[in-house]
Amino acid sequence: MPARLFMSSGDMNADRRFDYARDLQVQGDLVAAADLFEQATDLAPGFATAWFVLGEVREQLGDTAAAIAAFRRAQASDPGDRNGAGLRLMRLGADDLSAMPATYVTALFNQYAPKFDAALVDTLGYRGPAVLLGAVRAACAATDRAMLFPRAIDLGCGTGLAAGAFAACTGAIIGIDLSSRMIERAHATGLYAELEVAEIVEGLCRRSDSSVELVIAADVLIYLHDLAPVLREATRVLVPDGLLAFTAETHDGDGVALGAGLRYAQSEDHLRGLIAAAGLALIHLEHVSSRTERGAAAPGLVAVAIKRRL
């Protein structure tokens, strides 16, 4: 994914120094790059992108304290934190884990939308929709139910990859995504009965009780720190015996962690507890990776849960 969103300082000289510094960073001359980024921030103290990239370079140089200081200046210079400096501070242990800013996620995926499918599938070997479909098929076989869902919701629908995988077994599919540009591309597929630009919990809150037979979430929960609200709302909108299927990234520790890819990973025990607390019964869980990360499979799992009858 794009590492940063460039936002001009409004000062031509500062922007020019930033460009020179980026060239040096790409060439591997980090010390010289840091010096030029610092010059850019001296010229334009509110230059959020320069502060952010300076933080990256300082981190690469092993100066954690200076990196934290730069990321804090980047965060303060852009209240929406569109580059995700807050996430870098969490990764460096400077701040407690918390939710990603909606402005960061929106900017990230709006920027990523034009090349999303090619980058995700071709570069990262993304197979989330196929993994999800296989898990739902296995869950249906285990519970002796037909693989047919008249109404479904696709959370974080993106460009429509998951809807394409589930098209043969679903009727009307509703897609919800925070990125308007992703929604535009999803609309072009013709796979959705309805599409909504919204944060997924807010989108679910606007749906009626017991209104769908299936809720899917392919690689979207990895952008949520607290899964309890989305699991609770998914349970509410499902009919009794309806299914929730999702992929997640996982780790060997406890609770929630922020991975090197700036995505949240959930421990299996933590997920099991959240699923039960939401009024769902887990019927399928498999450890399987849905993408590669730096040439290796990212640790992940796929889960299918059923809404308990009262």
Side-chain angles (χ1 to χ4, degrees):
M1 285 196 175
R4 65 196 63 81
L5 178 68
F6 179 76
M7 294 171 282
S8 171
S9 67
D11 182 312
M12 184 180 299
N13 289 327
D15 285 359
R16 186 176 293 118
R17 278 175 172 74
F18 178 91
D19 289 339
Y20 293 153
R22 283 288 290 124
D23 289 341
L24 290 169
Q25 182 188 16
V26 171
Q27 293 166 20
D29 191 347
L30 300 182
V31 173
D35 181 63
L36 278 176
F37 284 131
E38 288 169 2
Q39 291 180 35
T41 58
D42 287 341
L43 289 168
F47 196 173
T49 304
W51 281 116
F52 181 84
V53 186
L54 177 58
E56 289 185 318
V57 171
R58 286 174 171 174
E59 185 178 358
Q60 289 176 288
L61 289 169
D63 192 344
T64 301
I68 288 170
F71 286 132
R72 290 216 183 277
R73 290 294 298 268
Q75 190 178 44
S77 299
D78 177 27
D81 195 15
R82 286 167 287 179
N83 276 310
L87 292 172
R88 300 303 182 106
L89 291 168
M90 293 179 214
R91 277 289 297 167
L92 291 171
D95 285 344
D96 293 335
L97 286 188
S98 60
M100 291 185 186
T103 46
Y104 162 75
V105 179
T106 301
L108 179 68
F109 283 99
N110 278 343
Q111 183 184 8
Y112 199 35
K115 52 189 174 183
F116 181 80
D117 291 4
L120 200 60
V121 177
D122 298 338
T123 304
L124 300 178
Y126 180 61
R127 49 200 172 273
V131 166
L132 207 57
L133 181 65
V136 172
R137 186 176 288 119
C140 287
T143 54
D144 195 28
R145 67 183 288 165
M147 182 76 173
L148 184 62
F149 306 95
R151 300 161 299 177
I153 296 177
D154 181 6
L155 298 177
C157 64
T159 60
L161 293 174
F166 280 84
C169 61
T170 52
I173 307 179
I174 297 165
I176 302 172
D177 200 285
L178 194 60
S179 166
S180 60
R181 292 188 181 176
M182 289 290 191
I183 288 289
E184 288 172 3
R185 296 179 72 84
H187 184 269
T189 68
L191 293 169
Y192 293 92
E194 183 182 346
L195 287 160
E196 180 181 7
V197 178
E199 189 276 329
I200 60 173
V201 175
E202 293 175 357
L204 282 171
C205 285
R206 289 192 278 272
R207 303 292 157 180
S208 301
D209 294 357
S210 303
S211 56
V212 299
E213 288 76 25
L214 176 68
V215 176
I216 58 174
D219 275 32
V220 63
L221 302 188
I222 57 179
Y223 298 102
L224 297 180
H225 169 249
D226 181 6
L227 299 186
V230 69
L231 294 179
R232 182 173 61 247
E233 285 302 310
T235 303
R236 182 186 60 79
V237 302
L238 283 169
V239 301
D241 292 334
L243 299 183
L244 167 67
F246 63 87
T247 58
E249 293 192 11
T250 189
H251 66 109
D252 294 331
D254 298 323
V256 186
L258 185 64
L262 302 182
R263 301 183 300 272
Y264 298 109
Q266 316 276 334
S267 73
E268 180 181 331
D269 286 345
H270 182 65
L271 270 178
R272 286 180 178 273
L274 290 173
I275 289 168
L280 298 163
L282 187 64
I283 56 176
H284 182 89
L285 188 144
E286 178 184 0
H287 284 265
V288 59
S289 177
S290 63
R291 71 166 84 194
T292 57
E293 182 83 12
R294 295 179 175 86
L301 58 79
V302 60
V304 183
I306 188 168
K307 181 176 178 176
R308 300 188 184 108
R309 287 184 174 272
L310 297 178

